Amino acid sequence: QECPQAVVIDVNLAQDDGWQVLSRLRTVPSLLTVPFLILAETVDKNLAYELGATDVLLKPISPGAFIQVIRRWLFPKSAGQMQ
């Protein structure tokens, strides 16, 4: 079974509640160690972390900043060295 290396959820989804998506996915055993990154224009960070978010990214986010965050969670030992 394939498993994602990271999950990015925009909590302001048009057709579904991003918080519900996060809560449901966090109960999937194969995803317990996967980082969950929350994207939002405004967000209650405490709620995000309580529901299982690994990190919170505020929109708008530049592509470079987004890549840095992904690298930090996927390659924690080398993230500071990558440019």
Side-chain angles (χ1 to χ4, degrees):
Q1 177 181 357
E2 292 189 37
C3 185
Q5 292 183 341
V7 175
V8 179
I9 298 173
D10 186 333
V11 294
N12 304 113
L13 297 170
Q15 296 187 358
D16 207 346
D17 179 356
W19 299 117
Q20 290 176 355
V21 171
L22 174 61
S23 294
R24 282 194 312 263
L25 289 177
R26 269 303 185 199
T27 65
V28 176
S30 62
L31 299 178
L32 292 177
T33 61
V34 173
F36 278 73
L37 311 174
I38 297 300
L39 248 167
E41 290 178 16
T42 60
V43 67
D44 178 345
K45 288 185 178 186
N46 289 329
L47 175 63
Y49 295 128
E50 285 174 22
L51 293 176
T54 307
D55 208 342
V56 176
L57 313 172
L58 295 178
K59 297 191 295 186
I61 184 168
S62 72
F66 182 77
I67 289 169
Q68 271 189 318
V69 172
I70 295 292
R71 285 180 175 162
R72 180 172 66 228
W73 290 107
L74 296 184
F75 312 106
K77 292 181 181 176
S78 61
Q81 301 169 9
M82 299 174 116
Q83 299 289 335

